[in-house]
Amino acid sequence: MNGADQAEFITLARVTKTQGRKGEVAAALFTDFPERFASRRQLFGLDGKGQRHELELEDHWPHKGQVVLKFAGVDSISQAETLIGWEIQLPSSQRAPLEADQVYISDLKGCTVYDGGRVIGKVEDVLFGSGEAPLLVVRDEIRQEHLVPFAASYIEEFVLDQKQVRMKLPDGLLDLDSSLKKDATPKRKTGTEPRQL
């Protein structure tokens, strides 16, 4: 991975398609603060083979719920096509400090999720889709998967130094999730990293 471990980076966006004729790409955002791309010129791209590449951001602008990115040296549609699927990343050491009630999604992986006093399981992944809240993929002790909305109204507290997320979920939410999964397998888009930049 070009001398750096995956855990040392956070993903800000994932390239979804080409945009325009001069090498621009559209990317799905995994940050609540896309305006901070203005001060982030040196970025990294993680390709599908797990290789990380340095990128210099020349320009960016919002477009239809995504962000359009223009990188130095990527000046044609064919060059932009090679970036589709890449994760646009930043070293963890450069991420912005958060308020007390905020958390980086990347820090949630491996946390134990509680519903009141009951342990649900550990966070294995975080999914981003069309809904307002990301979904925590939580695995219980018998390896059953639960999809738990990471919504502010359900969160009681984070105790990240103890790898704990304490929530108060609506009655029946986990039962509903189990029955929905029996009926159909939802189409999911995996997002790996932060909701804060």
Short mmCIF file of all heavy atoms in Angstrom, two decimals, residues 125-175:
data_model
loop_
_atom_site.label_atom_id
_atom_site.label_comp_id
_atom_site.label_asym_id
_atom_site.label_seq_id
_atom_site.Cartn_x
_atom_site.Cartn_y
_atom_site.Cartn_z
N ASP A 125 -18.91 -3.02 9.70
CA ASP A 125 -18.81 -2.14 8.54
C ASP A 125 -19.86 -1.05 8.68
O ASP A 125 -20.70 -1.08 9.58
CB ASP A 125 -19.04 -2.94 7.25
CG ASP A 125 -18.45 -2.24 6.03
OD1 ASP A 125 -17.94 -1.11 6.15
OD2 ASP A 125 -18.51 -2.82 4.93
N VAL A 126 -19.79 -0.08 7.79
CA VAL A 126 -20.78 0.99 7.73
C VAL A 126 -21.22 1.12 6.28
O VAL A 126 -20.39 1.18 5.38
CB VAL A 126 -20.19 2.32 8.24
CG1 VAL A 126 -21.26 3.40 8.24
CG2 VAL A 126 -19.59 2.16 9.63
N LEU A 127 -22.54 1.14 6.07
CA LEU A 127 -23.09 1.22 4.73
C LEU A 127 -23.72 2.59 4.50
O LEU A 127 -24.40 3.12 5.37
CB LEU A 127 -24.16 0.14 4.52
CG LEU A 127 -23.74 -1.30 4.80
CD1 LEU A 127 -24.92 -2.23 4.63
CD2 LEU A 127 -22.61 -1.71 3.89
N PHE A 128 -23.48 3.11 3.30
CA PHE A 128 -24.08 4.38 2.91
C PHE A 128 -24.98 4.11 1.72
O PHE A 128 -24.58 3.51 0.73
CB PHE A 128 -23.01 5.40 2.50
CG PHE A 128 -22.07 5.74 3.62
CD1 PHE A 128 -20.98 4.94 3.89
CD2 PHE A 128 -22.29 6.85 4.41
CE1 PHE A 128 -20.12 5.25 4.93
CE2 PHE A 128 -21.44 7.17 5.44
CZ PHE A 128 -20.35 6.37 5.70
N GLY A 129 -26.21 4.55 1.81
CA GLY A 129 -27.14 4.36 0.71
C GLY A 129 -27.94 5.62 0.49
O GLY A 129 -27.46 6.72 0.71
N SER A 130 -29.19 5.46 0.09
CA SER A 130 -30.03 6.62 -0.20
C SER A 130 -30.71 7.17 1.05
O SER A 130 -31.29 8.24 1.02
CB SER A 130 -31.09 6.24 -1.23
OG SER A 130 -31.85 5.15 -0.77
N GLY A 131 -30.66 6.43 2.16
CA GLY A 131 -31.31 6.91 3.39
C GLY A 131 -30.53 8.05 4.03
O GLY A 131 -29.39 8.32 3.68
N GLU A 132 -31.17 8.71 5.00
CA GLU A 132 -30.53 9.83 5.67
C GLU A 132 -29.40 9.39 6.58
O GLU A 132 -28.39 10.06 6.70
CB GLU A 132 -31.56 10.61 6.48
CG GLU A 132 -32.55 11.37 5.62
CD GLU A 132 -33.49 12.21 6.45
OE1 GLU A 132 -33.22 12.39 7.65
OE2 GLU A 132 -34.49 12.69 5.90
N ALA A 133 -29.57 8.26 7.26
CA ALA A 133 -28.56 7.79 8.21
C ALA A 133 -27.79 6.61 7.63
O ALA A 133 -28.37 5.73 7.01
CB ALA A 133 -29.23 7.38 9.52
N PRO A 134 -26.48 6.56 7.85
CA PRO A 134 -25.72 5.36 7.48
C PRO A 134 -26.22 4.18 8.32
O PRO A 134 -26.84 4.36 9.36
CB PRO A 134 -24.28 5.70 7.85
CG PRO A 134 -24.25 7.15 8.13
CD PRO A 134 -25.63 7.58 8.48
N LEU A 135 -25.93 2.98 7.87
CA LEU A 135 -26.30 1.77 8.60
C LEU A 135 -25.05 1.12 9.17
O LEU A 135 -24.08 0.88 8.44
CB LEU A 135 -27.01 0.77 7.68
CG LEU A 135 -28.37 1.20 7.13
CD1 LEU A 135 -28.86 0.18 6.10
CD2 LEU A 135 -29.38 1.36 8.24
N LEU A 136 -25.08 0.84 10.47
CA LEU A 136 -24.00 0.07 11.08
C LEU A 136 -24.28 -1.40 10.82
O LEU A 136 -25.38 -1.90 11.09
CB LEU A 136 -23.95 0.31 12.59
CG LEU A 136 -23.75 1.75 13.07
CD1 LEU A 136 -23.74 1.78 14.59
CD2 LEU A 136 -22.49 2.36 12.50
N VAL A 137 -23.29 -2.10 10.28
CA VAL A 137 -23.39 -3.55 10.13
C VAL A 137 -22.83 -4.15 11.42
O VAL A 137 -21.63 -4.07 11.68
CB VAL A 137 -22.59 -4.06 8.92
CG1 VAL A 137 -22.70 -5.58 8.80
CG2 VAL A 137 -23.08 -3.38 7.64
N VAL A 138 -23.72 -4.70 12.23
CA VAL A 138 -23.35 -5.20 13.56
C VAL A 138 -23.50 -6.71 13.59
O VAL A 138 -24.54 -7.25 13.21
CB VAL A 138 -24.24 -4.56 14.66
CG1 VAL A 138 -23.84 -5.07 16.03
CG2 VAL A 138 -24.13 -3.04 14.60
N ARG A 139 -22.45 -7.43 14.00
CA ARG A 139 -22.45 -8.88 14.07
C ARG A 139 -22.59 -9.29 15.52
O ARG A 139 -21.82 -8.86 16.38
CB ARG A 139 -21.13 -9.33 13.54
CG ARG A 139 -20.92 -10.44 12.63
CD ARG A 139 -21.76 -10.88 11.58
NE ARG A 139 -21.36 -10.52 10.26
CZ ARG A 139 -21.97 -10.95 9.19
NH1 ARG A 139 -23.01 -11.74 9.27
NH2 ARG A 139 -21.60 -10.59 8.01
N ASP A 140 -23.57 -10.15 15.84
CA ASP A 140 -23.74 -10.59 17.22
C ASP A 140 -22.89 -11.84 17.49
O ASP A 140 -22.13 -12.30 16.63
CB ASP A 140 -25.22 -10.80 17.57
CG ASP A 140 -25.89 -11.92 16.78
OD1 ASP A 140 -25.17 -12.82 16.26
OD2 ASP A 140 -27.13 -11.91 16.67
N GLU A 141 -23.02 -12.39 18.70
CA GLU A 141 -22.14 -13.50 19.12
C GLU A 141 -22.37 -14.78 18.33
O GLU A 141 -21.51 -15.65 18.29
CB GLU A 141 -22.31 -13.77 20.61
CG GLU A 141 -23.72 -14.15 21.01
CD GLU A 141 -23.87 -14.32 22.51
OE1 GLU A 141 -22.93 -13.97 23.26
OE2 GLU A 141 -24.92 -14.82 22.93
N ILE A 142 -23.53 -14.92 17.67
CA ILE A 142 -23.77 -16.11 16.84
C ILE A 142 -23.58 -15.78 15.35
O ILE A 142 -24.06 -16.49 14.48
CB ILE A 142 -25.15 -16.73 17.10
CG1 ILE A 142 -26.28 -15.73 16.80
CG2 ILE A 142 -25.25 -17.26 18.51
CD1 ILE A 142 -27.66 -16.34 16.80
N ARG A 143 -22.90 -14.65 15.09
CA ARG A 143 -22.54 -14.21 13.74
C ARG A 143 -23.73 -13.76 12.90
O ARG A 143 -23.65 -13.69 11.69
CB ARG A 143 -21.74 -15.29 12.98
CG ARG A 143 -20.47 -15.75 13.66
CD ARG A 143 -19.43 -14.66 13.76
NE ARG A 143 -19.03 -14.17 12.45
CZ ARG A 143 -18.54 -12.96 12.21
NH1 ARG A 143 -18.41 -12.10 13.18
NH2 ARG A 143 -18.21 -12.58 11.00
N GLN A 144 -24.85 -13.47 13.54
CA GLN A 144 -25.99 -12.92 12.83
C GLN A 144 -25.74 -11.43 12.57
O GLN A 144 -25.27 -10.72 13.44
CB GLN A 144 -27.28 -13.13 13.63
CG GLN A 144 -28.52 -12.63 12.90
CD GLN A 144 -29.79 -12.90 13.69
OE1 GLN A 144 -29.76 -13.49 14.76
NE2 GLN A 144 -30.91 -12.44 13.17
N GLU A 145 -26.11 -10.98 11.38
CA GLU A 145 -25.90 -9.59 11.00
C GLU A 145 -27.15 -8.76 11.31
O GLU A 145 -28.26 -9.15 11.01
CB GLU A 145 -25.59 -9.50 9.51
CG GLU A 145 -25.39 -8.09 8.99
CD GLU A 145 -25.21 -8.05 7.48
OE1 GLU A 145 -24.13 -8.44 7.00
OE2 GLU A 145 -26.17 -7.65 6.79
N HIS A 146 -26.92 -7.59 11.91
CA HIS A 146 -27.99 -6.62 12.16
C HIS A 146 -27.60 -5.31 11.49
O HIS A 146 -26.46 -4.89 11.57
CB HIS A 146 -28.18 -6.38 13.66
CG HIS A 146 -28.50 -7.61 14.44
ND1 HIS A 146 -29.76 -8.15 14.50
CD2 HIS A 146 -27.69 -8.42 15.18
CE1 HIS A 146 -29.74 -9.23 15.25
NE2 HIS A 146 -28.50 -9.42 15.69
N LEU A 147 -28.57 -4.67 10.84
CA LEU A 147 -28.34 -3.36 10.24
C LEU A 147 -29.00 -2.32 11.15
O LEU A 147 -30.23 -2.29 11.28
CB LEU A 147 -28.93 -3.30 8.84
CG LEU A 147 -28.35 -4.31 7.85
CD1 LEU A 147 -29.04 -4.18 6.49
CD2 LEU A 147 -26.85 -4.14 7.70
N VAL A 148 -28.19 -1.50 11.77
CA VAL A 148 -28.67 -0.55 12.78
C VAL A 148 -28.48 0.87 12.25
O VAL A 148 -27.35 1.28 11.97
CB VAL A 148 -27.90 -0.71 14.11
CG1 VAL A 148 -28.39 0.29 15.14
CG2 VAL A 148 -28.03 -2.15 14.63
N PRO A 149 -29.57 1.64 12.09
CA PRO A 149 -29.42 3.03 11.62
C PRO A 149 -28.58 3.85 12.60
O PRO A 149 -28.86 3.87 13.80
CB PRO A 149 -30.86 3.55 11.56
CG PRO A 149 -31.72 2.32 11.52
CD PRO A 149 -30.97 1.27 12.30
N PHE A 150 -27.57 4.51 12.07
CA PHE A 150 -26.72 5.36 12.90
C PHE A 150 -27.33 6.76 12.91
O PHE A 150 -26.80 7.71 12.34
CB PHE A 150 -25.29 5.35 12.36
CG PHE A 150 -24.29 5.99 13.28
CD1 PHE A 150 -24.11 5.52 14.57
CD2 PHE A 150 -23.53 7.07 12.86
CE1 PHE A 150 -23.18 6.11 15.42
CE2 PHE A 150 -22.60 7.66 13.69
CZ PHE A 150 -22.43 7.18 14.98
N ALA A 151 -28.48 6.87 13.56
CA ALA A 151 -29.25 8.11 13.59
C ALA A 151 -29.06 8.79 14.94
O ALA A 151 -29.05 8.14 15.99
CB ALA A 151 -30.73 7.81 13.36
N ALA A 152 -28.95 10.11 14.92
CA ALA A 152 -28.69 10.87 16.14
C ALA A 152 -29.75 10.61 17.21
O ALA A 152 -29.46 10.57 18.40
CB ALA A 152 -28.61 12.36 15.82
N SER A 153 -31.00 10.41 16.77
CA SER A 153 -32.08 10.23 17.74
C SER A 153 -31.97 8.90 18.50
O SER A 153 -32.59 8.74 19.55
CB SER A 153 -33.44 10.30 17.03
OG SER A 153 -33.51 9.33 16.01
N TYR A 154 -31.18 7.95 18.00
CA TYR A 154 -31.01 6.65 18.66
C TYR A 154 -29.76 6.59 19.54
O TYR A 154 -29.58 5.66 20.31
CB TYR A 154 -30.91 5.52 17.64
CG TYR A 154 -32.11 5.36 16.73
CD1 TYR A 154 -31.98 4.65 15.55
CD2 TYR A 154 -33.35 5.89 17.04
CE1 TYR A 154 -33.07 4.48 14.69
CE2 TYR A 154 -34.44 5.74 16.20
CZ TYR A 154 -34.29 5.03 15.02
OH TYR A 154 -35.35 4.87 14.18
N ILE A 155 -28.87 7.56 19.40
CA ILE A 155 -27.56 7.49 20.06
C ILE A 155 -27.62 8.13 21.45
O ILE A 155 -28.06 9.26 21.59
CB ILE A 155 -26.49 8.19 19.21
CG1 ILE A 155 -26.37 7.50 17.85
CG2 ILE A 155 -25.14 8.20 19.93
CD1 ILE A 155 -25.61 8.30 16.82
N GLU A 156 -27.17 7.37 22.43
CA GLU A 156 -27.08 7.91 23.79
C GLU A 156 -25.68 8.48 24.06
O GLU A 156 -25.55 9.59 24.55
CB GLU A 156 -27.43 6.83 24.82
CG GLU A 156 -28.89 6.42 24.77
CD GLU A 156 -29.29 5.50 25.91
OE1 GLU A 156 -28.46 4.67 26.33
OE2 GLU A 156 -30.44 5.61 26.37
N GLU A 157 -24.64 7.70 23.73
CA GLU A 157 -23.28 8.21 23.92
C GLU A 157 -22.28 7.33 23.19
O GLU A 157 -22.53 6.17 22.89
CB GLU A 157 -22.91 8.31 25.40
CG GLU A 157 -22.81 6.97 26.11
CD GLU A 157 -22.28 7.11 27.53
OE1 GLU A 157 -21.55 8.08 27.82
OE2 GLU A 157 -22.56 6.22 28.34
N PHE A 158 -21.12 7.93 22.90
CA PHE A 158 -19.96 7.21 22.40
C PHE A 158 -18.96 7.12 23.54
O PHE A 158 -18.71 8.11 24.21
CB PHE A 158 -19.27 7.96 21.25
CG PHE A 158 -20.18 8.44 20.17
CD1 PHE A 158 -20.35 9.79 19.94
CD2 PHE A 158 -20.85 7.54 19.37
CE1 PHE A 158 -21.18 10.23 18.93
CE2 PHE A 158 -21.68 7.98 18.36
CZ PHE A 158 -21.85 9.33 18.15
N VAL A 159 -18.38 5.94 23.71
CA VAL A 159 -17.26 5.80 24.65
C VAL A 159 -16.16 5.15 23.83
O VAL A 159 -15.86 3.97 23.94
CB VAL A 159 -17.64 4.92 25.87
CG1 VAL A 159 -16.56 5.02 26.94
CG2 VAL A 159 -18.99 5.35 26.45
N LEU A 160 -15.56 5.97 22.95
CA LEU A 160 -14.67 5.41 21.93
C LEU A 160 -13.37 4.87 22.52
O LEU A 160 -12.79 3.95 21.95
CB LEU A 160 -14.38 6.45 20.85
CG LEU A 160 -15.60 6.81 19.99
CD1 LEU A 160 -15.21 7.81 18.91
CD2 LEU A 160 -16.23 5.57 19.35
N ASP A 161 -12.93 5.42 23.66
CA ASP A 161 -11.72 4.86 24.26
C ASP A 161 -11.96 3.46 24.78
O ASP A 161 -11.03 2.67 24.96
CB ASP A 161 -11.16 5.78 25.36
CG ASP A 161 -12.15 6.04 26.48
OD1 ASP A 161 -13.38 5.90 26.24
OD2 ASP A 161 -11.71 6.37 27.59
N GLN A 162 -13.25 3.10 25.01
CA GLN A 162 -13.61 1.73 25.41
C GLN A 162 -14.28 0.98 24.26
O GLN A 162 -14.78 -0.13 24.46
CB GLN A 162 -14.55 1.77 26.62
CG GLN A 162 -13.92 2.38 27.85
CD GLN A 162 -14.92 2.48 29.00
OE1 GLN A 162 -15.82 1.67 29.16
NE2 GLN A 162 -14.75 3.50 29.84
N LYS A 163 -14.28 1.60 23.07
CA LYS A 163 -14.87 1.00 21.86
C LYS A 163 -16.34 0.62 22.11
O LYS A 163 -16.76 -0.49 21.83
CB LYS A 163 -14.07 -0.22 21.39
CG LYS A 163 -12.63 0.06 21.05
CD LYS A 163 -12.50 0.97 19.84
CE LYS A 163 -12.70 0.24 18.54
NZ LYS A 163 -12.59 1.10 17.35
N GLN A 164 -17.12 1.57 22.60
CA GLN A 164 -18.54 1.33 22.88
C GLN A 164 -19.40 2.41 22.22
O GLN A 164 -19.05 3.59 22.24
CB GLN A 164 -18.82 1.35 24.39
CG GLN A 164 -18.15 0.23 25.16
CD GLN A 164 -18.44 0.34 26.65
OE1 GLN A 164 -19.16 1.22 27.10
NE2 GLN A 164 -17.87 -0.58 27.42
N VAL A 165 -20.53 1.97 21.67
CA VAL A 165 -21.57 2.88 21.17
C VAL A 165 -22.85 2.50 21.89
O VAL A 165 -23.34 1.37 21.75
CB VAL A 165 -21.77 2.76 19.65
CG1 VAL A 165 -22.87 3.69 19.18
CG2 VAL A 165 -20.47 3.04 18.91
N ARG A 166 -23.37 3.42 22.68
CA ARG A 166 -24.59 3.13 23.46
C ARG A 166 -25.78 3.81 22.78
O ARG A 166 -25.76 5.01 22.53
CB ARG A 166 -24.42 3.60 24.90
CG ARG A 166 -23.29 2.84 25.60
CD ARG A 166 -23.29 3.01 27.11
NE ARG A 166 -22.37 2.06 27.72
CZ ARG A 166 -22.69 0.83 28.10
NH1 ARG A 166 -23.92 0.39 27.93
NH2 ARG A 166 -21.79 0.04 28.64
N MET A 167 -26.80 2.99 22.48
CA MET A 167 -27.95 3.46 21.74
C MET A 167 -29.24 3.08 22.47
O MET A 167 -29.23 2.20 23.33
CB MET A 167 -27.96 2.87 20.32
CG MET A 167 -26.68 3.10 19.54
SD MET A 167 -26.71 2.43 17.87
CE MET A 167 -27.61 3.72 17.03
N LYS A 168 -30.32 3.73 22.11
CA LYS A 168 -31.66 3.36 22.56
C LYS A 168 -32.50 3.22 21.31
O LYS A 168 -32.92 4.21 20.71
CB LYS A 168 -32.23 4.43 23.50
CG LYS A 168 -33.62 4.08 24.03
CD LYS A 168 -33.62 2.79 24.80
CE LYS A 168 -35.01 2.47 25.34
NZ LYS A 168 -35.14 1.07 25.74
N LEU A 169 -32.70 1.96 20.88
CA LEU A 169 -33.38 1.69 19.61
C LEU A 169 -34.88 1.53 19.84
O LEU A 169 -35.31 1.08 20.91
CB LEU A 169 -32.82 0.42 18.98
CG LEU A 169 -31.32 0.45 18.67
CD1 LEU A 169 -30.87 -0.90 18.14
CD2 LEU A 169 -30.99 1.56 17.67
N PRO A 170 -35.69 1.89 18.84
CA PRO A 170 -37.14 1.69 18.97
C PRO A 170 -37.45 0.20 19.15
O PRO A 170 -36.77 -0.66 18.58
CB PRO A 170 -37.68 2.19 17.63
CG PRO A 170 -36.60 3.05 17.06
CD PRO A 170 -35.30 2.51 17.57
N ASP A 171 -38.49 -0.08 19.93
CA ASP A 171 -38.91 -1.47 20.15
C ASP A 171 -39.19 -2.13 18.80
O ASP A 171 -39.87 -1.56 17.94
CB ASP A 171 -40.17 -1.53 21.01
CG ASP A 171 -39.88 -1.12 22.46
OD1 ASP A 171 -38.70 -1.17 22.87
OD2 ASP A 171 -40.84 -0.74 23.16
N GLY A 172 -38.65 -3.34 18.63
CA GLY A 172 -38.93 -4.13 17.44
C GLY A 172 -38.05 -3.82 16.23
O GLY A 172 -38.17 -4.48 15.21
N LEU A 173 -37.15 -2.84 16.33
CA LEU A 173 -36.33 -2.48 15.17
C LEU A 173 -35.47 -3.64 14.70
O LEU A 173 -35.41 -3.94 13.50
CB LEU A 173 -35.43 -1.28 15.50
CG LEU A 173 -34.53 -0.85 14.33
CD1 LEU A 173 -35.29 0.10 13.42
CD2 LEU A 173 -33.25 -0.20 14.80
N LEU A 174 -34.82 -4.34 15.61
CA LEU A 174 -33.95 -5.46 15.22
C LEU A 174 -34.77 -6.63 14.70
O LEU A 174 -34.34 -7.33 13.77
CB LEU A 174 -33.07 -5.89 16.40
CG LEU A 174 -32.08 -4.83 16.90
CD1 LEU A 174 -31.30 -5.36 18.08
CD2 LEU A 174 -31.16 -4.38 15.80
N ASP A 175 -35.96 -6.86 15.24
CA ASP A 175 -36.83 -7.93 14.73
C ASP A 175 -37.29 -7.61 13.32
O ASP A 175 -37.34 -8.47 12.45
CB ASP A 175 -38.05 -8.11 15.64
CG ASP A 175 -37.65 -8.56 17.04
OD1 ASP A 175 -36.61 -9.24 17.17
OD2 ASP A 175 -38.37 -8.22 18.00
#
